[in-house]
Amino acid sequence: MSVASVSSSGEEMLLNMGPQHPSTHGVLRFILRTDGEVISAVEPDIGFLHRSIEKIAEIVTFEQFMPYTDRVDYLAAMNANHAWARAVEEIAHIEVPRRAQVIRVITDELNRIISHLLGGVGALAMDLGAVTPFLHAIRERETVNDIIESLCGARLTYNYVRIGGVWYDLPRNFADRTLEFLDHFEPALDEFDRLAGQNKIFKERLAGVGVVSAKDAIAHGLVGPNLRASGVKYDLRRNMPYSIYPELEFDIPVGQGILGTVGDCYDRYWVRIQEMRESVKILRQAFKMLPDDKTIKAKLPSVLKPPAGEIYVAVEAPRGEMGWYLVTNGGPKAHRGRVRTGSYAAMSAIRFISRGLMIADLVACIAAFDTIAPEVDR
């Protein structure tokens, strides 16, 4: 963090947090106006990671664009693949085989677990100085990465989902390996929560910090765990159901004001812990729903040309609503593609709640909102 300038009165400083600061979760920069340690204003400065992903969607075919969706959220590439596939399938009226739908839910929920482990709770603990819980989270995440690698050969940017289905069927023993992991993971998650969430210092660093009311959360367009932590029970898997989610039984955790204030940083941590427990429930049910029919991809023409039109389709990614607004003109490429992500909306909320915070509290807020640079700069 470096001093950019000092006001003529000598009372306020202009500080740069980033773009290299370790607590900014990627190449992000925040310009802080402070009076000593107290923040009077924060201005997010984005664009350092802009890669023209939306423009690329207009110059490659629908199928060729799938690997680029991995880069929209590299911590949740399965969900990002799914969002693009659903948008194209909806506008092209493609029916996805049942087995592929179940597999997509399995991979989505595995990806939700590893995304929360790394960004939502693991990095949060580490940013506050607790290194040990982060290593526990990484241990569990690497186990899931091993399982996903056996499925598609990749550990980060998967490029697994295909328009009309998925790339490969589940390998032999995939279900047994995953269920064995789930049996181990549930007590391991309890252990992580004891290490981090029940730690006195961790609680005091997050309790009552960065409070966002339900009204303000909606006004700033928050989605996903950040919205639900403010007490709003909204989840696309329930409110705009897709795939096999309507057939599954799971709860939608919302902020409870565990430490006294609904919508604070601790509630954002707590909601993500509960979401991982719900993902375990979903996964156990999904494996029981796998059909015997081995069809994993719909039959498509050699060159896919959806009819001209426009559509918006979204999925519930780990950082909330990830949706594609897609415009087609009857050709093999998108006329326009626009993606909506949770991290971009969270930036405005961070700016809103930062007034009056200590600089150290801003570090906690950035981590608790689980913002990542690729979702902000596309």
Side-chain angles (χ1 to χ4, degrees), residues 264-281:
D264 61 6
C265 284
Y266 191 84
D267 266 1
R268 288 188 272 278
Y269 160 82
W270 182 84
V271 163
R272 288 180 171 89
I273 291 291
Q274 301 310 311
E275 283 194 0
M276 286 189 279
R277 293 189 169 112
E278 296 305 314
S279 290
V280 172
K281 293 182 186 177

Side-chain angles (χ1 to χ4, degrees), residues 265-344:
C265 284
Y266 191 84
D267 266 1
R268 288 188 272 278
Y269 160 82
W270 182 84
V271 163
R272 288 180 171 89
I273 291 291
Q274 301 310 311
E275 283 194 0
M276 286 189 279
R277 293 189 169 112
E278 296 305 314
S279 290
V280 172
K281 293 182 186 177
I282 291 172
L283 285 164
R284 293 190 189 281
Q285 295 174 68
F287 279 112
K288 293 178 181 179
M289 297 169 65
L290 277 169
D292 294 332
D293 184 353
K294 299 296 185 179
T295 305
I296 59 169
K297 187 178 179 184
K299 291 183 178 180
L300 303 179
S302 56
V303 180
L304 181 61
K305 295 182 179 180
E310 60 180 335
I311 197 169
Y312 177 78
V313 177
V315 302
E316 185 67 33
R319 285 158 194 81
E321 181 178 344
M322 179 182 288
W324 278 96
Y325 170 65
L326 178 61
V327 181
T328 57
N329 58 10
K333 305 173 184 178
H335 177 71
R336 178 71 173 98
R338 177 77 169 87
V339 62
R340 191 250 196 254
T341 62
S343 292
Y344 188 83

